[in-house]
Amino acid sequence: MTQTIYEKLGGAPAMDAAVDIFYRKVLSDDRIARFFDGVDMDKQRAKQKAFLTMAFGGPHNYTGSDMRTAHKPLVDKGLNNSHFDAVVENLGTTLSELGISDDLIGEVAAVAETTRKDVLNL
């Protein structure tokens, strides 16, 4: 049986570590940090962990809004392709720092790419 991306990444402990590092990067990235002004980051981290777990083939415990609804206010604030690219870049850098192979980072990026149109309400 083929492993899911979630399993290849290391399951729940890997999701926890990756999301925590990822948001440290995002919040210090001048290109995208402003989109998180006023956001309860503890709740955001929990939602992101649940979403990524589901998206990468792990247990489905995500109860948040769909991507279009969740990101519409950000699109209204100017969220665009360059910001989406910055998020994917930060995710890739995070995974690289955690010792994830370039091939697996490519798989993760491919999954992220499938959300672009919904996130950007295109």
Side-chain angles (χ1 to χ4, degrees):
M1 216 172 158
T2 306
Q3 280 189 310
T4 64
I5 293 173
Y6 174 78
E7 292 166 333
K8 291 178 190 177
L9 288 170
M15 288 295 106
D16 290 345
V19 168
D20 290 342
I21 294 167
F22 168 75
Y23 276 119
R24 281 197 294 274
K25 290 182 176 307
V26 164
L27 293 174
S28 65
D29 187 332
D30 291 337
R31 298 172 295 175
I32 52 180
R34 70 181 177 91
F35 293 107
F36 295 90
D37 289 347
V39 172
D40 179 331
M41 291 309 296
D42 289 335
K43 286 183 182 178
Q44 181 65 27
R45 282 182 186 89
K47 282 194 290 188
Q48 186 71 294
K49 288 174 187 178
F51 176 76
L52 291 177
T53 295
M54 174 196 70
F56 297 144
H60 187 307
N61 296 316
Y62 179 71
T63 59
S65 301
D66 66 85
M67 292 296 102
R68 284 185 178 271
T69 302
H71 293 89
K72 176 75 168 87
L74 302 178
V75 171
D76 292 343
K77 291 181 181 180
L79 187 74
N80 63 38
N81 279 303
S82 69
H83 303 117
F84 188 94
D85 292 343
V87 168
V88 174
E89 177 188 317
N90 279 291
L91 182 56
T93 302
T94 295
L95 295 175
S96 181
E97 287 178 15
L98 290 171
I100 302 300
S101 72
D102 288 345
D103 287 345
L104 187 49
I105 291 171
E107 289 182 52
V108 167
V111 170
E113 189 60 40
T114 67
T115 69
R116 182 183 295 264
K117 287 183 180 178
D118 287 334
V119 167
L120 298 177
N121 281 249
L122 300 174

